[in-house]
Amino acid sequence: MSDLTSDLEGKTRYDPAEVEPRIMRRWLDSGLFHPEPAGTPDENYSIAIPPPNVTGVLHMGHALNNSIQDCLVRYHRMRGQRTKWIFGTDHAGIATQTQVERALEQEGLSREEIGREEFVARVWEWREQYGDAIVEQLKRLGASCDFEDERFTLDEAYAEAVLEVFVALYNKGLIYRDRYMVNWDPGSRSAISDLEVEDREVTDTLYYLDYPLASGSGAITVATVRPETMLADTAIAVHPEDERYRRLIGETAILPLVGRKLKIIADEYVKPDFGTGALKITPGHDPNDFEIGRRHGLQQLSAIGEDGRMTAEAGQFEGMTVAEARRAVVHELREQGLVAHAEEYPHTVPFSHRSGERIEPLVSLQWFMRMDELAKPAIDAVKDGRVKFAPERFAKVYLDWMENIRPWCVSRQLWWGHRLPVWYRGKETYVGTEPPRGEGWEQDPDVLDTWFSSALWPFATLGWPKDTPALRSFYPTDAVITGRDIIFLWVARMIMMGLEFREQIPFADVHITSIIQAPDGRRMSKSLGTGIDPLNLIDGGPRPPVFPQGGDFPAYGADAVRWGLLAMSSGQDVRFSEEKVGQGQQLTNKLWNAARLILLGVDAGTSPGAVTPSKIEDRWIISRLARAKAEVRARIERYDFSHAALALYDFIYGELCDWYLELVKPRLRDHDRDAQLTLLHVLVETISLAHPIIPFVTEEIYAHIPGVEGLLAAGTESLPERIDEEAEAALARTIAAVQAIRGWRAVSEVKAAAIVPARLAAGGYEETAAQIERLARLAFSAGAEAPVASVPVPGGAIEILPTDELDPGAAEEKRADQRAKLQAEIERAQAKLANEGFVSKAPAQVVQAEREKLARLHEELESL
RNA sequence: GGGCGCGUAGCUCAGUGGGAGAGCGCUCGCUUCACACGCGAGAGGUCGCUGGUUCGAGCCCAGCCGUGCCCACCA
C-alpha cells in the first residue's frame, strides 16, 4: 500500500511507455486471453481476427480494425462471457512469395534457379524470421487475442481443411478445370481472380487499321488500342443492322502481315457508333472477343505467351515483349500504308492489384469454382437477417455482387501456397486428399488462391474438419470486423463456405469499418508518404511527409491511439486527425490524475464497497454514471464506436472531473466516509466502463485500488445504480448557476480570486447553496441592501451586492447585453405562439413547452 | 453507364422535424493544494445552391453544383 501510494504521488503525468509493457505482460501471463473450450456458441463470445499477412507490418487500418475488435472482445469478456479472439496469420501467397523473390534477387538468384522445394523452404525460413513482427505489434496495441492458440493458413491442420473442401467441392461438381480467358498478371506470372484486378485510367493510342478485302475491292477499317494482338485475329465483326457493312457480312478480309483469311461476321455486341463500327476479333486476347469467338465457333490463337512475350504464332515478332511487338507491328503496318489514322484515347484498363502490372487477358487452362449454387444460401442468410451488416447499406453492396456472381479462378501459378490436391497421368485426372496409388502420377504444380484458404478461417482455425471442443464452443462466431475492400474477397466467401461446410453462418454481424485517409484526404500509402505507422504514434516517432509541420509525434501511448481511432471512426471514410489522438492522450492523463486525487485522498483501509449516497452530489454522480454506462454500452453493441468513445470522454471530463470531483473535494479533505465510498465506487465503475476502449491506463489504476485483487480485464462485479431525476435536476440548476456567475465575473472584470458578496434570490438550491458559493467564489448573505447586479439563474437570480471588487460600468454593460438577448428570445417565442398554425397544429406538449419558456424568459428579464 | 456516400465554426467531425454542437486552433483571465498534456470565460457558422412539403427544415422531397468511393466486357 505505501509503495503504491508513493508511486502515485510522484506521477503527475500518466506515462504509457512505462506502464504498457508491464500491463501487457500481466495480461498474457494471466491466461485470461486463452479460454478453454466450454459452453455453447450462443453463450460464448468469439471473433476471428482478419488474419494479417505473415510478413506484413501493422498499418493504420489494422490499428483501427483491431482497436474495434479488442473493444468488443474486452467488453464481452468483462461481462463474464467465455470470450475467444481467434488469432492467426495468413500465408498471403503472392505478397509473401514476392518478398522472398526480392530477397533472392539481392543474392543474385531466382526461384527457378533454386527450384521449388528449396524456394518453399526459404519462404518458411522467412516466415520464421519475420513472421512475428506483426504479432508483436498487435501486442503493443493491447490486443487481447488468444495468442496461445495461433493459427497459420498453411499449417498442417489448416491444410487438411483446405484439401477437404477442395475435394468435396470437386466431387460436387463445383470445382472444375477449364480452358478459359483469365486475367494474366505478368508481374507474378500467374492468373489472378477478377477481384484482384483494378481499373486504371490510361491514355493509349487508338489505331485505325485497314484490313484489305479478299475480293480486292477496298478494305475494312477496324479500330484498336492493341495493334499487336492483330496477329491473333480470327474474324472481323460488325453489327447485323449496320447498313454500311451489311453487304460485307460473310465476305472475307485478309489479315495484314499474316495473310490469314478473316471472315466478316455479324454480332449484336458491336457498337456501330464506336470507332469505325467494325471490330477485329481476337478470341485469344480479349474477354469480349473470347465470348464472341465462342458464339461463332472461332479459332482461339495465342500470340502472347504467359511470359509476356510473343509466341511462335506471332511469326516474325516472336520473342518480342508486348510493347516491342506493338511498336514493330505499327511500324510494319505504316510501311504498308495500312494505318488509316491514329488518335490519343484515354480509357480504363485492368491492372494487377498485386504486382501493379497491366493485365494480359489470356486463354489458359485453369481451375475454377462455380459460385452460383453456393451463393444462394448466402444471399438468403443476409436477406433474412441471420447475417447483418453494419452499416446496413453494405448489405446491398454484398447482395448486388452475390446475385451476379461469376466463376472464381482458384489456381495460381505460384509456389507458396496450398498445392492443388490434383494429380495427372496421361489423360487421367485424380483429385483426393491423399496422393493416388500407382506409378506415373504427377501433381498439378499450381497452388490455390490465398482467399480460398481464408474463406475457411472461422471454422478451420477451430480445428475443422475434426469435430473439436473449440469448434463446438466458438462456432459460429459473433462478428467479423473488416474493411469494405474485402467484402467480396473474404466476407462473402466465408459466408458461403460456412453455410456449405458447417450449415451455419460463420458470424452474425459484419461490421464494416471506416477507411482512414491521410490528413490531406489522400489514400494512406507508404509510397505517397501518406502512410502513418501506428507504432510511431504509440512510441513517438517521425511524422510522415504528409504532415507539413514535420518533427516527431509525441509518445501518445496505445490507449490514446485506440481512443483516437475509435473516436475518428464512423460509417464513412474519415481523415486521420492527430488531434483526436491528442484528445485520447488528454483523457488518459485526466483519468490518471482523477484516480490519484481519489486514491491519495481516501483513508487507509477504505476499499470499494456498498454505497448509500446521502448527499445530493453523490446521488447525482451515481445517476450520471448509470446513464453513461447505458450510453456507452448501447453504442458499443451497435458498433458505434465513435459515440462510445465520445460519451466516455464527456462523462469523465464533463461530469466526473469538472463537477463531481470539485464538488466533493472539501468532504474528501474532511475524511467523509460516504464521499470516499462514492468516489471509490465511481472510480472502479468508470475504469471498468472505459477499459474496453483504453485498457492500459484503466488496468494500471485498478492495480492501485485498495482491497481489490486480480485483473480489471477479467471484469468486476457491478452494484446496482439508479437514475435519480431529482438529483440530476438539482445539480443541473447548480451547474447552470455557477456557470452564469463565472460568465458574469469574466465580463465584469472581477478579480479571479475575489470573494464577491451576493444574495441568493432563487429557489431550488437548498442543498447546493454552499457549493455555489465555493465554486463561483461568492459569499451569500441575507442583507437587504440594493444589488449592483442581478445574474439570472434557473429559478430566479443571484444578486450581486456592492463591493469594491467590481467595476459598475462593466456590470451594467453586461446586463444590457443580456437584456437584449432575452428580449430577442422573448420576441421569437411570442411570434411563435401568436402563429395560429403553430398553436393549432403542433403537438400540445410542444406548445406548452413554448409557453413555459416564454414565462421563464419574462421572469429572467424582470430579475435584471 | 449503374450504384453508394459526403458537402454544418479556421481544421477534423457530431447532430434525421420544434431554441446550431464537440475536440483542436484562436482571444482573455487564472502558478485554485489531481492534472499547465491543467482550470475558468469567450469570439467564431446566410448548416453547398435553388425550389418544394410542413404551423415549423441543418434534418424530409426534387433538381443543380462540388467531392469521394464501388461495380461494369465499348474496341
Side-chain angles (χ1 to χ4, degrees), chain A residues 739-753:
Chain A
Q739 286 175 330
I741 296 294
R742 283 174 177 168
W744 172 83
R745 292 179 66 115
V747 293
S748 306
E749 292 174 11
V750 182
K751 278 219 162 65

Side-chain angles (χ1 to χ4, degrees), chain A residues 578-635:
Chain A
E578 187 178 347
E579 289 73 27
K580 277 281 188 294
V581 177
Q583 200 180 340
Q585 184 195 27
Q586 288 177 331
L587 179 67
T588 56
N589 194 56
K590 192 74 174 173
L591 190 56
W592 173 250
N593 277 292
R596 288 180 62 234
L597 173 71
I598 296 168
L599 296 173
L600 293 171
V602 298
D603 295 332
T606 309
S607 51
V611 186
T612 47
S614 50
K615 286 277 199 299
I616 196 153
E617 66 263 23
D618 297 347
R619 287 163 53 197
W620 174 78
I621 192 64
I622 285 176
S623 183
R624 297 307 297 170
L625 170 66
R627 285 194 198 272
K629 281 162 81 167
E631 170 79 4
V632 171
R633 287 173 177 176
R635 296 296 191 173

Side-chain angles (χ1 to χ4, degrees), chain A residues 181-185 190-195 197 287 350 359-362:
Chain A
M181 174 72 55
V182 297
N183 305 297
W184 186 262
D185 174 10
S190 173
I192 59 175
S193 76
D194 296 341
L195 289 174
V197 172
I359 292 297
E360 197 59 69
L362 290 180

Side-chain angles (χ1 to χ4, degrees), chain A residues 31 122 204 240 297 335 347 379 437 450 544 582 682 698 747 809:
Chain A
R122 289 268 193 142
D204 279 325
E335 295 276 292
H347 64 150
I379 287 169
R437 291 166 199 281
T450 302
V682 171
T698 50
V747 293

